[in-house]
Amino acid sequence: MTLGELLIETLAQAGVKRIYGVPGDSLNAVTDVIRRNKNIEWSHVRNEEAGAFAAGAEAHLTGQLAVCAGSCGPGNLHLINGLYDAHRSRVPVLAIAAQIPSTEIGSNYFQETHPEVLYRECSHYVEVISTAEQMPLVLQRAMQTAISMRGVAVVVLPGDLAGHEASVTPPRISWPNPVTLPSAAEIEQLAALLNQGRKVTILGGAGCAGAHSELLEVAAKLKAPIVHSLRGKEFIEYDNPFDVGLTGLLGFESGAYAIMDADVLLMLGTDFPYRAFLPQKATVIQIDIRGEQLGRRVKLDLGLVGDVRATLAAVSPRLNDKGESTHLDKSIQHYRHMRQTLDDLAKGEAGERPIHPQYLAKVLNEVAAEDAIFTCDVGTPVLWAARYLQMNGKRRLLGSFNHGSMANALSQALGAQSAFPGRQVISMSGDGGLAMLMGEILTLRQMNLPVKIVLFQNNALGFVELEMKAAGILAFGTDLVNPDFSDIGRAAGLLGLRAETADQVRPMLQQALAHDGPALVEVLVNRQELSIPPTITSAQAKGFSLYMMRAVLSGRGDEVLDLASPNTLKELIEVAKENLLA
């Protein structure tokens, strides 16, 4: 058995089904083993970055170890962005970084880099194989670390060593699944603080996965509205009478209200990063499986290390059933008002152009399958997915929500569709994100993956423009001179459709979703759609006013009129009111 064979056999025994990557000479000894092996597939992407994103998506959806690989130097360097995303999303990914011949390391050889240095910040474990005898231990430690710590591990393997003989059997990998629970005294302290609170609000994140019934039971006793982070949306939003939506820049005013109006905030499995949306005076309790997360964003009155489901189950019998529900009722009423306001913006009239992106997201939500898997690009597609996609306990939602990388959606869709070939996978792509790794359209055809790309086409880096306008800066460098993407899709062998008016959206989405193969629906959406955050600060209000003044003075006043036309008068009045108050 060679080291390459040892590697593939170990991965196969651990349940790995495929390796995403691009072949290269330093990987030849590994890919040749895959050619002869019937248990693992080689998923050939057009860019290693896409392979790392695809592996991260597979790990996210399955909870199992996923693998990507890159050849020496530039090849494995492309992995880094997708690996950063997987690591920050806490999903188990093993990266095989091929290296130059072992005898040439340190000589400034052709394509020489030092992956053990480059990947240190985005992995829990990274090590170089120097001898054949070292391989089993390093491989076992790397895989075990990725699985146990839920993150990235990297094995750096010189191409010449992969062909050397291995004199040992493949290492065995364990799959621990411990349940962590605070001490009995801490549970009592938690119950006491929650019982004392008059107005309790829950903020839940991705750590609430698998804890839906326990979460609702506690919320019912506390009469607590539940706000969720974006990563918590798929686990918290569905069948939830206490749901008051998202908070943060992508969220709803109702979510921000429920948090700021509370005298006790219970944070569950979330590392929500935006301090401006967290209270300064309320009693704050945080429960997280990782102790290093506690108190990182806000000053805590109580921080506990524990599994959310187990901790809620332990504290629930000790909670008093609160009779007063005024805080909950007001928060829900506020949410219903905000939900109606958002739904009112998602309208599309026959012949209307450009199309409201809210309308596109709303219709997509209606026509997609009950168990669809959505991926969304960073920028405005994330915004519309957060506000208009409805989770139901079966659907899944992926994005680069922690790392915030462009070009993630299509690449993640590759991994999602590979892992779940029978499910509907929809990539909500932006024109900037799709163009950045557009070669993966060819991967769809080559791998025969029936991913459906829904393209929000507005000829701009739209979210960047919104950020500039909020800061009072004229948009610059955000224009995109785009081709007809539907033509590109057809040329690549996809079903290519182009919706230019609102009445074309629904039938084209339905046609694409029914198509037996990959499809791309390009939808021309309004570039100037204004997204009002849940609460408008005086600084933001000043920024929008300053932007409008600068636009007029620079001869771009027509842009201000364009900005106003697709948005409700109420929103712009709110901006003006805040500006006057400031």
Side-chain angles (χ1 to χ4, degrees):
M1 180 178 288
T2 65
L3 291 191
E5 290 170 332
L6 175 69
L7 169 66
I8 299 305
E9 182 64 24
T10 304
L11 294 176
Q13 289 183 6
V16 174
K17 302 298 184 186
R18 61 193 60 82
I19 299 176
Y20 301 92
V22 177
D25 60 346
S26 55
L27 272 175
N28 284 348
V30 174
T31 53
D32 187 59
V33 176
I34 297 173
R35 177 184 64 82
R36 293 181 276 111
N37 189 287
K38 303 302 181 183
N39 297 317
I40 288 185
E41 301 174 1
W42 177 255
S43 294
H44 182 191
V45 295
R46 297 305 174 104
N47 188 309
E48 291 91 347
E49 180 177 348
F53 272 118
E58 179 178 330
H60 180 104
L61 293 169
T62 65
Q64 303 298 306
L65 183 69
V67 182
C68 57
S71 58
C72 63
N76 66 62
L77 277 179
H78 285 301
L79 295 171
I80 196 164
N81 199 38
L83 292 183
Y84 257 102
D85 184 83
H87 195 59
R88 298 188 70 179
S89 297
R90 298 191 68 238
V91 295
V93 171
L94 175 70
I96 307 300
Q99 180 57 299
I100 63 172
S102 56
T103 55
E104 299 293 343
I105 295 176
S107 69
N108 197 25
Y109 190 74
F110 175 64
Q111 293 188 325
E112 181 174 6
T113 60
H114 292 89
E116 68 275 16
V117 177
L118 295 167
Y119 290 113
R120 191 164 292 155
E121 189 174 311
C122 65
S123 67
H124 289 303
Y125 181 86
V126 55
E127 194 56 74
V128 183
I129 303 296
S130 301
T131 66
E133 293 76 17
Q134 182 191 9
M135 176 71 165
L137 175 61
V138 169
L139 181 59
Q140 192 272 342
R141 285 197 63 196
M143 295 174 66
Q144 204 66 66
T145 300
I147 293 166
S148 300
M149 298 188 69
R150 298 191 61 79
V152 170
V154 183
V155 172
V156 183
L157 179 61
D160 58 320
L161 289 184
H164 284 199
E165 288 188 5
S167 58
V168 294
T169 58
R172 292 286 180 178
I173 307 300
S174 300
W175 294 85
N177 188 28
V179 176
T180 305
L181 192 64
S183 67
E186 289 174 319
I187 293 293
E188 293 295 341
Q189 190 179 3
L190 171 62
L193 286 176
L194 293 175
N195 285 330
Q196 290 169 13
R198 294 186 305 106
K199 298 186 292 184
V200 181
T201 293
I202 297 172
L203 172 60
C208 291
H212 193 263
S213 60
E214 291 81 3
L215 178 63
L216 297 193
E217 179 180 314
V218 168
K221 289 186 175 183
L222 297 175
K223 302 297 185 290
I226 302 175
V227 184
H228 57 266
S229 68
L230 183 53
R231 288 193 66 208
K233 177 181 172 73
E234 58 178 329
F235 308 118
I236 296 173
E237 182 181 72
Y238 69 95
D239 296 337
N240 184 352
F242 308 99
D243 177 42
V244 294
L246 287 154
T247 187
L249 292 173
L250 304 181
F252 310 149
E253 186 178 342
S254 53
Y257 167 83
I259 288 176
M260 295 306 181
D261 189 53
D263 59 13
V264 176
L265 176 65
L266 175 60
M267 299 175 64
L268 298 173
T270 179
D271 187 34
F272 183 78
Y274 303 108
R275 299 172 189 264
F277 294 94
L278 294 172
Q280 301 301 314
K281 296 181 180 179
T283 297
V284 181
I285 304 166
Q286 185 178 3
I287 301 170
D288 202 289
I289 198 66
R290 295 176 293 168
E292 69 271 19
Q293 302 290 88
L294 300 178
R296 182 152 73 172
R297 310 301 183 187
V298 65
K299 182 180 178 181
L300 298 182
D301 295 274
L302 179 63
L304 301 178
V305 175
D307 174 84
V308 170
R309 181 181 182 182
T311 304
L312 291 180
V315 78
S316 183
R318 295 165 173 79
L319 297 178
N320 300 330
D321 197 337
K322 297 184 187 295
E324 175 59 46
S325 63
T326 303
H327 172 59
L328 173 62
D329 296 339
K330 284 185 177 180
S331 297
I332 291 176
Q333 183 179 5
H334 202 163
Y335 172 62
R336 288 173 179 166
H337 171 72
M338 285 304 303
R339 184 69 264 170
Q340 185 60 53
T341 300
L342 291 172
D343 290 342
D344 288 343
L345 295 172
K347 299 290 179 64
E349 302 295 335
E352 184 178 14
R353 66 172 72 195
I355 298 159
H356 292 294
Q358 299 98 317
Y359 178 70
L360 169 57
K362 178 176 179 291
V363 174
L364 179 60
N365 174 70
E366 293 170 353
V367 299
E370 284 192 356
D371 65 345
I373 300 171
F374 298 91
T375 65
C376 51
D377 266 333
V378 162
T380 51
V382 169
L383 173 66
W384 308 128
R387 294 186 175 184
Y388 292 96
L389 291 185
Q390 294 176 340
M391 298 294 104
N392 56 13
K394 300 176 184 177
R395 288 178 168 180
R396 302 300 304 272
L397 176 64
L398 284 76
S400 185
F401 298 146
N402 285 346
H403 188 48
S405 172
M406 286 181 63
N408 63 286
L410 176 55
S411 302
Q412 289 177 326
L414 296 176
Q417 194 73 84
S418 297
F420 295 96
R423 289 178 67 173
Q424 193 178 82
V425 177
I426 301 170
S427 172
M428 298 174 66
S429 298
D431 43 5
L434 181 64
M436 187 174 283
L437 284 176
M438 193 160 55
E440 302 314 316
I441 291 178
L442 305 178
T443 303
L444 290 183
R445 183 69 278 167
Q446 180 164 323
M447 295 174 63
N448 198 29
L449 296 173
V451 170
K452 316 306 180 187
I453 303 170
V454 178
L455 178 62
F456 290 69
Q457 215 278 64
N458 60 6
N459 293 308
L461 300 176
F463 204 81
V464 177
E465 287 191 339
L466 286 174
E467 292 170 330
M468 290 179 174
K469 291 167 184 175
I473 299 172
L474 287 173
F476 175 76
T478 56
D479 290 336
L480 298 176
V481 179
N482 285 321
D484 186 321
F485 285 99
S486 62
D487 281 346
I488 291 177
R490 286 190 290 272
L494 281 65
L495 170 66
L497 303 171
R498 181 180 171 96
E500 299 183 356
T501 59
D503 54 291
Q504 295 174 328
V505 170
R506 187 179 295 271
M508 286 189 176
L509 288 178
Q510 291 173 326
Q511 181 183 352
L513 294 176
H515 178 64
D516 184 20
L520 187 157
V521 183
E522 179 182 13
V523 183
L524 307 188
V525 298
N526 200 314
R527 176 173 179 169
Q528 301 293 354
E529 204 77 32
L530 180 62
S531 166
I532 298 296
T535 55
I536 306 171
T537 67
S538 59
Q540 289 169 327
K542 287 179 181 178
F544 274 113
S545 298
L546 182 59
Y547 160 75
M548 292 181 182
M549 182 175 68
R550 286 181 179 173
V552 171
L553 292 177
S554 66
R556 293 166 69 176
D558 58 331
E559 186 173 312
V560 177
L561 295 177
D562 289 343
L563 180 68
S565 61
N567 299 284
T568 66
L569 180 61
K570 178 183 175 183
E571 288 178 327
L572 296 176
I573 289 174
E574 288 296 323
V575 174
K577 282 167 59 179
E578 289 288 340
N579 187 39
L580 290 173
L581 291 173

